[in-house]
Amino acid sequence: MGLTAFPATAQAQTPVLCSESSLVDAIATANAAGGDTLLLPFCTYRLTSAHGRGPAGPVGLPPITSPITLLGMGSTITRDPSASAFRVMEVEGAANVPATKGQLSMVGVTVSGGSAVSPYPGGGISNFYVNAPVLAALAPVSGPLSGGNTVTLTGTHLVEATAVRFANTAATSFTVVSDTRITAVAPAGPAGPVDVTVSTAGGTSNAVSYAYVPAPPSPRSAPARAPPPAETA
């Protein structure tokens, strides 16, 4: 009995035309399809604007959220020098961005010209990871039941804050000043101490204590005294 040998099935590859829009569309399609291998010809993909946004700011190409392989033949992906600041590529995986499974493999591809917006470093490829926030202190440590006062939170890994909570109530508003400082407007709350926390994609911070203090009672006015009787001659 004779045996017939069949060649192994080659992995499908999707060729990408040499243009910015073609590469953007190819990555978006690969993400939606759950992954792909993209074949890039010997050319330069010049990105003139950001076509996506990740937790670390604008990204030239759509953030990679599925397993994608870029096979180049001396290809280059670069940000146009006249374009606004953005990172060239970002990989988002389930370990750091929920509901994603991004993986990136590249062969024969050069990435250049990236310029991430402040306060993020770098600008080429970000294998995105969000550290859990840590709170060290807040000031002032107390405020009125009606809220409305501004509280300053200090700590580390605060720049990606998505929420500030006083117990289970969201802050009326908050502003990320830097990676180590946030200002938040306290909501109304019941008398007594509550836990204040900050949340990011990396998790929820430890709690620091803030106290709601009732307003002091108004001083009672003294009763009016009757005038002394008039003296008679």
Side-chain angles (χ1 to χ4, degrees):
M1 181 175 65
L3 297 176
T4 303
F6 293 92
T9 302
Q11 182 181 11
Q13 298 175 357
T14 301
V16 181
L17 296 177
C18 189
S19 72
E20 176 181 11
S21 59
S22 295
L23 183 56
V24 170
D25 291 345
I27 290 180
T29 300
N31 279 334
D36 198 359
T37 296
L38 305 180
L39 184 62
L40 311 185
F42 179 72
C43 70
T44 296
Y45 295 88
R46 193 174 301 278
L47 306 179
T48 59
S49 63
H51 297 277
R53 187 173 185 87
V59 187
L61 296 172
I64 292 172
T65 58
S66 66
I68 292 178
T69 298
L70 301 181
L71 293 181
M73 295 178 286
S75 311
T76 298
I77 303 173
T78 186
R79 167 185 159 273
D80 190 284
S82 64
S84 59
F86 56 78
R87 188 184 304 282
V88 177
M89 304 175 73
E90 183 165 288
V91 182
E92 299 180 359
N96 42 59
V97 181
T100 62
K101 51 181 179 180
Q103 298 176 29
L104 175 63
S105 300
M106 291 198 305
V107 178
V109 178
T110 298
V111 175
S112 66
S115 179
V117 298
S118 179
Y120 307 105
I125 303 173
S126 173
N127 188 16
F128 188 74
Y129 181 79
V130 182
N131 290 297
V134 177
L135 288 178
L138 60 74
V141 296
S142 63
L145 303 183
S146 59
N149 58 309
T150 298
V151 176
T152 297
L153 303 165
T154 55
T156 56
H157 310 310
L158 305 181
V159 74
E160 298 293 342
T162 56
V164 177
R165 292 184 176 86
F166 289 67
N168 294 320
T169 304
T172 302
S173 64
F174 69 91
T175 300
V176 177
V177 179
S178 68
D179 192 47
T180 59
R181 187 158 67 100
I182 292 176
T183 59
V185 177
V194 297
D195 288 339
V196 179
T197 57
V198 172
S199 296
T200 71
T204 299
S205 72
N206 58 299
V208 290
S209 185
Y210 175 83
Y212 283 99
V213 181
S218 301
R220 296 180 180 178
S221 56
R225 294 185 178 182
E231 295 184 2
T232 56

